[in-house]
Amino acid sequence: MKVIAISGGSKNGSNDSMAKEALMGAAEQGAEIEFIHLLDLNLKPCTGCIACVKSLMSGGNGDCVIKDDFKWIEEKILDADGVIFAMPIFEKGAPGIFRLLQDRLCGPAHDTGINIIAGKIAAQMGKPGPDPRKLKKKAVSYISIGGSDWNTSASCDMKLSAMSGMWTVIDDEVFPWAKSIIVQDENVAIKEHADVRESEKGKLEA
Ligand SMILES: Cc1cc2nc3c(=O)[nH]c(=O)nc-3n(C[C@H](O)[C@H](O)[C@H](O)COP(=O)(O)O)c2cc1C
């Protein structure tokens, strides 16, 4: 079981700390873990060229044509069984860096339906087609950390990213007034949604 955590916060800030705290929990359960600090990567925005979709519809693998670090992080995410996203709340919602990653990672080229069809097209053409890991079951967990209680769209912004890949959301926590979260014991050890985790675990095992 591989679990990775992706933090969109500042270096060693609240989001990094919570992401690492969550990873330590996963490691205690026996998971292989990895931490990724998103702002260390060179990620360019999606240009909407749809080269990925054209590739998929003609038997290709749907890889993005932009040359940057996306392929590296995509590989980590495709490989993982679980992904923890820890993001600062900016302007009442998910930060730009998360939206940028989401456009590249959750757009049409990573949509479950499109990849099922693309697989069939590729099979008919005798080509390898899309990476089969795009259809792998994945559990995701969202952590949003704010410095005030302005967080109207944080949970919605984060959770929508689970849609196209049909990821199973096992946690979605929004922490208001949490700039010093790592010393807020009640937040670090949050037990809410344990019931959701249990029922979703059953679905993943099925
Ligand atoms: C541009 C900007 C916008 C922000 N907007 C909000 C906001 O709307 N609501 C909120 O609760 N906190 C807001 N904050 C505070 C951040 O959420 C907080 O600084 C962040 O969680 C710190 O994370 P880090 O320590 O991991 O860098 C904002 C901070 C910045 C820099």
Side-chain angles (χ1 to χ4, degrees):
M1 174 78 67
K2 284 186 191 165
V3 177
I4 65 170
I6 300 172
S7 165
S10 57
K11 200 101 183 161
N12 297 324
S14 306
N15 288 277
D16 280 15
S17 308
M18 281 298 266
K20 288 175 186 174
E21 185 68 34
L23 279 181
M24 285 193 278
E28 279 167 22
Q29 301 294 316
E32 188 186 318
I33 57 168
E34 183 166 354
F35 172 76
I36 296 170
H37 186 248
L38 201 50
L39 293 167
D40 285 345
L41 305 185
N42 169 29
L43 290 173
K44 296 176 186 161
C46 172
T47 62
C49 73
I50 61 164
C52 53
V53 180
K54 287 182 191 160
S55 158
L56 286 174
M57 292 301 117
S58 53
N61 60 14
D63 274 0
C64 182
V65 292
I66 300 173
K67 300 289 169 247
D68 60 3
D69 293 336
F70 177 69
K71 187 74 199 151
W72 181 85
I73 193 166
E74 183 191 32
E75 192 59 35
K76 299 279 179 193
I77 293 168
L78 287 176
D79 226 19
D81 303 288
V83 184
I84 299 155
F85 292 94
M87 296 290 148
I89 298 169
F90 284 176
E91 294 310 306
K92 298 77 140 179
I97 187 70
F98 180 77
R99 302 301 294 254
L100 189 154
L101 178 65
Q102 185 182 7
D103 289 348
R104 302 280 300 278
L105 183 69
C106 312
H110 294 80
D111 178 271
T112 303
I114 288 181
N115 276 287
I116 290 171
I117 293 165
K120 290 181 179 167
I121 293 171
Q124 278 172 0
M125 298 173 80
K127 292 184 176 181
D131 191 318
R133 292 174 300 172
K134 284 185 178 170
L135 301 178
K136 174 173 144 176
K137 281 187 182 180
K138 202 180 295 297
V140 292
S141 179
Y142 298 110
I143 298 170
S144 302
I145 300 178
S148 70
D149 53 12
W150 284 20
N151 53 38
T152 320
S153 65
S155 168
C156 178
D157 288 352
M158 298 284 271
K159 271 194 293 198
L160 280 175
S161 66
M163 226 174 97
S164 60
M166 294 183 70
W167 300 336
T168 302
V169 180
I170 57 167
D171 258 319
D172 168 37
E173 304 289 349
V174 175
F175 297 99
W177 300 109
K179 194 74 188 79
S180 310
I181 195 161
I182 209 62
V183 293
Q184 297 169 348
D185 291 348
E186 71 286 6
N187 280 338
V188 173
I190 195 154
K191 292 284 188 296
E192 269 180 48
H193 301 306
D195 51 336
V196 179
R197 274 193 292 272
E198 277 311 303
S199 71
E200 294 299 340
K201 208 172 107 196
K203 280 191 213 163
L204 280 168
E205 281 162 1

